Structures are given as C-alpha cells and as structure tokens.
Amino acid sequence: MTVGQNNNMALEALIIGTSPATCRLREMIRRVARSNASVMLCGPSGSGKELVARAIHDEGARASQAFSAINCGAIPGELIESELFGHEKGSFTGAHARRIGHFEATEGGTLFLDEIGDMRFDMQVKLLRVLEDRTIVRVGSSEVKAVDVRVISATHQDLGAAIADGKFREDLFFRLGVVVLQVPSLANRVEDIPALIRHFQRQMPADAKCRFDDAAMALLMQHGWPGNVRELRNFVERASVLHGGETLGLDDVAMLLNPTAALAPRHAVPSSPVAAQASAEDFAAQPFASAPPHAKTPAPGRPIDLKREIETIELEQIHVALDLADGIISEAARLLTLKRTTLIEKMRKYGVHQQAA
C-alpha cells in the first residue's frame, strides 16, 4: 500500500461519509493542507469544525508537530491573552509562576482558534500583530519571541455582519481567512448518517449497540439535525443507554429525537414516508419541557418501577438540554432551572459526559 493510499484512508477515517458534500470537504482539506496559509472554517455549531482543523494539520507538512485547540468563547476575556501568549510570574494577581502560552507550546505545529468571533476587540488587535510579525510577548515581559505556528480558526457566526457592526476587525478576518472553508451541516449530508452511527457505535460493547429498521432510518434521514453531528452523537449515546441491544422502530426514534415527547401522549405510528415526515415535524414543533406528564398505566399485577421511570425522564431531559445548549453546562442548567453544580452531580450520576463544542 502506498503512502498516498494510507493518507486517503486516514482522512476518510477522520472525516466520515461518502456524500457529495463530504467528498468535496475532503478534497478541500487535501488542497489547503499542502500550503501554510491561514484557514478560516465556517459552519454551524456541532458540524465538526475541530475535526476538520485536525485533518488539515494531519494532512500537512506539520503533521509530526503539535496540534493545539483553544475555544476563544469559553475563556474569560481577562485570561485570553495569557492563554495565547503566556505570562511571567507576578505579572497579575494569581500569576504564581511563568506560563507558556499556546503559541509557544505549539511551536512548529498548528493552533486551532475556535469561536474566533467571540474574541474581545482589543485582543483582536494583539492577535493581528502576532499574525503579521510572527512574534509574541508574554504578559508582564518585554522579551519578543519569534513563533512559527499555522493558525486555523473557526466560527459559526456571520463575521460579515460582525464586521459591519464594528465587532470584528476586517483586517483580522482577511489575515485569518486567506482560505475560507465551509463545513457542511449534517442536514446537507444526510446520506452519511448510517456511516456516522456505525462510527459512534464502534467503541460500544455489542449489547449496547442499537439497530434501526427501515422506517426508523428514514426518519433519521428526514430529521433537521439542528445540533448537527454533535446532536447525532448524543442521539446514538442516548439510544444505547435506553435501548441497548434492541432494534428500534419509527416510534422509538421519534421519541429519542425529541425526548420531551416521551412526556406527551404517544402519536399513532405513521404508515407512509409522508406521514413519517409529518410525525417528525409534529415532535420537533413541541417546545422544550412544555409537554404534560404522561402517566404509564400499570399492567394488572405488575407494578411500575417509579424511581426508574423518573430517572429515565430526568436523563432524557438532561440530554435535550445539553443538545439545545451545544454542550455548555451553565446554559443547560439554566434551561433545566437547576444550579450548575446540581446538573454536574446529576450528569455524574448518569454517566453523561460533557460534549465539546
């Protein structure tokens, strides 16, 4: 097997699918990986922009060097400069020791700046200077250090509108976006859903994997996937927790796609693809946590495990909130009207892991 064939297989293992949109994306990754140009990745939240950044790094000449990722929107504004450029001991309150920033730590490699649109305006000026001069200065230092780092950035925001509103520097956009690469939403590559499901199930034990009948798979292909690949990953995990080892039908999948629907009276199972699509749209139209409780009637002589029923509902609601909040725990806690610490405790209880953006 040739080196080129090995590279193609590695890229296909990272960027899953055979849809036209995915094939075009892989071809663009190969093209931009050959250069050292800065790349701006645009696409909806949850579409896999960090995976694309990683693939560009792995396909390029810097593959043997470090790859580092930082979410600009998740770091407090007063700490972002230290995270990127580092600081000297005593340069500010809490700076008890020298810190090496991401630019220095990624020397010779690739630095991925996610959610660049959330970066503070004054930090945009400093980042622009670093990109132009290829030098950094640690916070609290006067020493200028040369850096050799390829920068890939990403955003789900409309930076054109942010530039027009004076919230994002146009010169920084042009410096970051020498090449602008669009990452497709899952709705634009639904043909990849079966392969993605198999990929997410690969590390699961056999008794946790679910199967989907034809009607169930058709509904998955018709779903809008507002949370994109992240939502699909959560769906697969949710299905394995609640229905491990089972073959799921249309009605099961409809409730898993919108767990709050489990609290409402069940809809009749549609008998045609058109009816299936209408049913899915009915479920999607229900507002978060607005459905009335659904009472499960005990069979004669068979009591209900009330604790288990409540825990199942609670787990489903946590998954929905995390999907709607793009994995941000504080926002999910707000949707659930819980304290952040309470939600974290419940996530630990059910083995729910925070998903990265």
Side-chain angles (χ1 to χ4, degrees):
M1 187 177 292
T2 67
V3 173
Q5 287 175 323
N6 279 329
N7 288 344
N8 287 342
M9 291 177 63
L11 184 55
E12 289 178 1
L14 195 60
I15 308 297
I16 306 295
T18 57
S19 67
T22 301
C23 291
R24 285 194 298 272
L25 177 62
R26 278 198 294 265
E27 177 57 27
M28 289 300 296
I29 288 171
R30 292 188 185 100
R31 288 172 182 261
V32 300
R34 298 172 194 155
S35 78
N36 206 29
S38 298
V39 180
M40 170 80 74
L41 304 177
C42 296
S45 181
S47 56
K49 295 187 288 295
E50 183 171 342
L51 266 182
V52 173
R54 182 79 209 207
I56 293 172
H57 171 77
D58 289 348
E59 288 290 301
R62 297 174 181 264
S64 62
Q65 304 300 317
F67 175 88
S68 182
I70 180 172
N71 189 319
C72 300
I75 299 173
E78 64 274 12
L79 296 180
I80 186 71
E81 184 174 4
S82 170
E83 287 286 330
L84 289 176
F85 311 138
H87 64 251
E88 297 291 345
K89 179 179 179 180
S91 56
F92 55 84
T93 303
H96 302 301
R98 170 185 282 184
R99 176 188 175 88
I100 300 299
H102 281 271
F103 269 92
E104 278 190 83
T106 318
E107 174 66 23
T110 303
L111 177 59
F112 175 55
L113 302 178
D114 199 7
E115 298 304 345
I116 192 69
D118 292 336
M119 181 173 282
R120 232 171 46 186
F121 198 83
D122 62 321
M123 269 304 302
Q124 294 176 31
V125 178
K126 295 177 181 179
L127 177 60
L128 177 62
R129 186 182 66 245
V130 169
L131 295 176
E132 290 181 338
D133 299 343
R134 297 292 173 180
T135 60
I136 63 162
V137 178
R138 295 194 196 111
V139 177
S141 173
S142 58
E143 180 186 1
V144 177
K145 295 184 65 67
V147 289
D148 173 25
V149 174
R150 183 181 193 177
V151 174
I152 301 175
S153 55
T155 183
H156 71 278
Q157 297 185 23
D158 181 350
L159 287 187
I163 291 169
D165 292 340
K167 296 178 180 178
F168 199 84
R169 292 183 63 96
E170 187 174 35
D171 47 5
L172 178 58
F173 171 77
F174 288 127
R175 176 61 70 175
L176 289 169
V178 175
V179 177
V180 177
L181 190 57
Q182 295 290 335
V183 180
S185 66
L186 184 56
N188 287 329
R189 47 181 291 218
V190 292
E191 306 97 309
D192 297 335
I193 287 175
L196 286 165
I197 290 175
R198 290 193 297 272
H199 172 71
F200 295 138
Q201 290 181 334
R202 190 161 291 132
Q203 302 301 320
M204 293 180 179
D207 60 356
K209 297 178 182 179
C210 296
R211 294 169 295 279
F212 303 91
D213 66 21
D214 290 344
M217 188 58 71
L219 183 56
L220 290 175
M221 304 280 276
Q222 294 161 1
H223 184 59
W225 299 108
N228 292 289
V229 179
R230 183 191 294 116
E231 182 186 355
L232 177 61
R233 180 179 58 196
N234 287 349
F235 165 83
V236 172
E237 181 183 352
R238 184 158 59 246
S240 72
V241 170
L242 299 175
H243 302 285
E246 300 176 18
T247 297
L248 304 187
L250 185 145
D251 200 39
D252 301 311
V253 166
M255 286 199 296
L256 286 167
L257 286 172
N258 185 1
T260 56
L263 305 180
R266 280 199 165 200
H267 293 240
V269 177
S271 58
S272 70
V274 173
Q277 184 171 6
S279 176
E281 291 171 352
D282 288 344
F283 280 117
Q286 297 185 40
F288 179 78
S290 63
H294 172 59
K296 185 172 181 179
T297 305
R302 296 181 61 185
I304 284 181
D305 186 341
L306 183 60
K307 180 180 178 183
R308 177 169 180 150
E309 290 295 318
I310 292 172
E311 288 179 345
T312 298
I313 292 171
E314 191 170 55
L315 174 61
E316 290 172 343
Q317 296 285 7
I318 288 171
H319 275 296
V320 165
L322 287 168
D323 283 348
L324 293 175
D326 286 338
I328 300 172
I329 292 178
S330 57
E331 175 63 13
R334 185 188 68 79
L335 291 171
L336 293 165
T337 63
L338 294 174
K339 291 182 178 178
R340 184 175 181 276
T341 51
T342 302
L343 176 55
I344 291 172
E345 289 173 2
K346 290 181 180 295
M347 289 171 65
R348 287 176 181 158
K349 172 183 175 182
Y350 296 118
V352 177
H353 302 289
Q354 181 184 5
Q355 302 293 351

